[in-house]
Amino acid sequence: MIFEFATATRIIFGPDSARQLGKVAEGLGRRALVVTGQAPVRVQPLLDLLTVHGLAVVSFATAPEPSLETARAGVALARAHDCDLVVAMGGGSAIDVAKAIAALVTNGGDPLDYLEVIGAGQPIGLAPLPLIALPTTAGTGSEVTRNAVLESPEHQVKVSMRSPLMLPRVAIVDPALTLSLPPAVTASTGLDALTQLIEPYVSQRANPLTDALAQAGIVRVAGALRRAYEHGHDLAARTDMALASLWGGMALANAGLGAVHGLAAPIGGMYGAAHGAVCAALLPHVMAVNVQALRMRAPASPAAARYVDVARWLTGDAAATAAGGAAWVAALVADLRIPRLAEYGIGPHDFAHIIPRARVASSMAANPIPLTDQELTTILTRAL
């Protein structure tokens, strides 16, 4: 058995752990580009921690779905102020664009030089600027992943820059930062976290370390997501979700994903739909179609038994079936009021454009079984 596992150099976890930001940052740089979401006022106390510890701060607010132009603008700002540190405070989008900026400042060139699928795919050769990541949502796990997802409106797709060198230097995961999340964001990001635990567990590249993280995370999401959605200030539920998101990021970075993310990449790029909500809408249908495809074409595949494991962890029922696990997720998606794909203007006439783009998405390669065009069509039809 041979596998590799890599994650952020240092992880600090726990309620109020964000208070350590200033002390951590002062050991890594003196001039920080701070990448935030669109409401930087939410993280003003964290910005104050940096200035109290003597750092100069340059703020850069990102769009909800950052594009290549967003990354270019951030690089220009960092260079103009001679920044030697990047701090990301926000959801997965803010952290992803921060990772891209940190890498581009030191390596030079344009994002298209390094992007997968639509770009030249050149390797990141030089260490990026040191990066500290503080997630304010519990979903993407971007604080411990080695890629940065960027949207290319020209190509109508979301694709990644990717390198082990892009792993953040420090991840500070403070569940208290998620207490103010509205229910809709809690739902979409929480189901994204669940997706990023299930897909690595059934992935063709799963390994014992990612298996352990996936199992622990799936059990926590099953017990905590509804509570966090219905009672946003339940710190215990928020802590469980923050842990699950962290573990999902570690799992996906080392075992890959699958058809949910393979389909979500072009859908997000073509329709401007939020990544987490799209993954949530697709997840139960990808699970059901994968289970059926494995039963028909690869019944001896380890993934077939793994979907039964997932069902038992989700439901708490030792007799649960793989199909029952998909049904449990479908009920959760409905209860958490996740928008269906049709609400983004997607219809059957779009499938011929989505499916070819999904096939070349990097995430699709790790799906437990190759899916036919008809099976991908079934998934999209059920998600409308």
Side-chain angles (χ1 to χ4, degrees):
M1 182 183 298
I2 300 173
F3 62 87
E4 175 186 346
F5 189 92
T7 192
T9 304
R10 182 182 180 192
I11 299 170
I12 304 170
F13 184 95
D16 296 327
S17 59
R19 293 179 182 177
Q20 300 185 44
L21 172 61
K23 187 169 183 60
V24 169
E26 69 180 357
L28 294 175
R30 303 307 303 164
R31 296 172 301 280
L33 179 75
V34 180
V35 182
T36 71
Q38 286 192 302
V41 67
R42 286 186 60 209
V43 294
Q44 186 60 49
L46 300 179
L47 296 176
D48 294 341
L49 288 173
L50 293 172
T51 56
V52 164
H53 281 261
L55 279 82
V57 171
V58 180
S59 293
F60 179 64
T62 68
E65 301 294 333
S67 67
L68 305 190
E69 283 303 320
T70 307
R72 292 170 182 138
V75 170
L77 187 63
R79 287 178 173 157
H81 291 271
D82 199 21
C83 294
D84 57 2
L85 170 67
V86 180
V87 179
M89 305 174 181
S93 294
I95 298 174
D96 275 3
V97 78
K99 286 190 284 189
I101 292 167
L104 289 165
V105 167
T106 58
N107 283 270
D110 187 79
L112 283 170
D113 295 332
Y114 307 99
L115 284 170
E116 301 171 342
V117 183
I118 63 170
Q122 295 178 11
I124 302 294
L126 300 175
L129 293 179
L131 172 65
I132 304 172
L134 293 89
T136 59
T137 64
T140 68
S142 185
E143 68 274 12
V144 287
T145 63
R146 63 183 80 188
N147 66 307
V149 181
L150 299 174
E151 180 179 7
S152 174
E154 175 187 356
H155 299 89
Q156 294 188 316
V157 71
K158 294 178 182 177
V159 288
S160 288
M161 292 174 54
R162 191 184 308 271
S163 169
L165 297 175
M166 292 174 64
L167 284 161
R169 187 74 63 87
V170 183
I172 302 177
V173 185
D174 184 343
L177 297 179
T178 68
L179 290 172
S180 62
L181 288 178
V185 177
T186 299
S188 62
T189 56
L191 283 161
D192 190 19
L194 180 59
T195 304
Q196 293 173 172
L197 292 158
I198 293 174
E199 289 203 303
Y201 186 70
V202 300
S203 163
Q204 296 183 35
R205 299 187 352 235
N207 67 64
L209 278 175
T210 59
D211 287 352
L213 293 167
Q215 177 179 357
I218 290 168
V219 170
R220 285 186 186 265
V221 173
L225 181 50
R226 286 182 188 272
R227 294 195 345 257
Y229 176 78
E230 295 170 356
H231 307 285
H233 283 81
D234 183 332
L235 183 57
R238 293 294 193 183
T239 299
D240 279 348
M241 289 306 303
L243 267 175
S245 176
L246 174 68
W247 291 336
M250 295 167 76
L252 77 88
N254 291 280
L257 291 162
V260 173
H261 282 78
L263 288 163
I267 290 173
M270 294 169 70
Y271 302 96
H275 171 78
V278 172
C279 287
L282 292 166
L283 176 59
H285 311 298
V286 169
M287 291 175 68
V289 169
N290 272 343
V291 167
Q292 182 179 29
L294 288 164
R295 185 184 303 118
M296 292 174 59
R297 300 198 298 279
S301 168
R306 285 171 172 257
Y307 270 115
V308 177
D309 293 338
V310 169
R312 292 172 178 173
W313 298 333
L314 288 171
T315 65
D317 180 0
T321 64
W328 188 95
V329 172
L332 180 64
V333 166
D335 290 347
L336 270 52
R337 300 181 180 179
I338 295 297
R340 300 185 69 82
L341 296 186
E343 295 189 31
Y344 305 113
I346 301 171
H349 58 283
D350 297 303
F351 296 173
H353 302 288
I354 294 171
I355 290 173
R357 288 176 167 87
R359 287 210 169 279
V360 298
S362 58
S363 296
M364 193 66 81
N367 199 61
I369 186 170
L371 298 178
T372 66
D373 284 359
Q374 183 55 55
E375 287 166 335
L376 294 173
T377 298
T378 297
I379 292 167
L380 292 170
T381 301
R382 293 176 180 175
L384 286 181

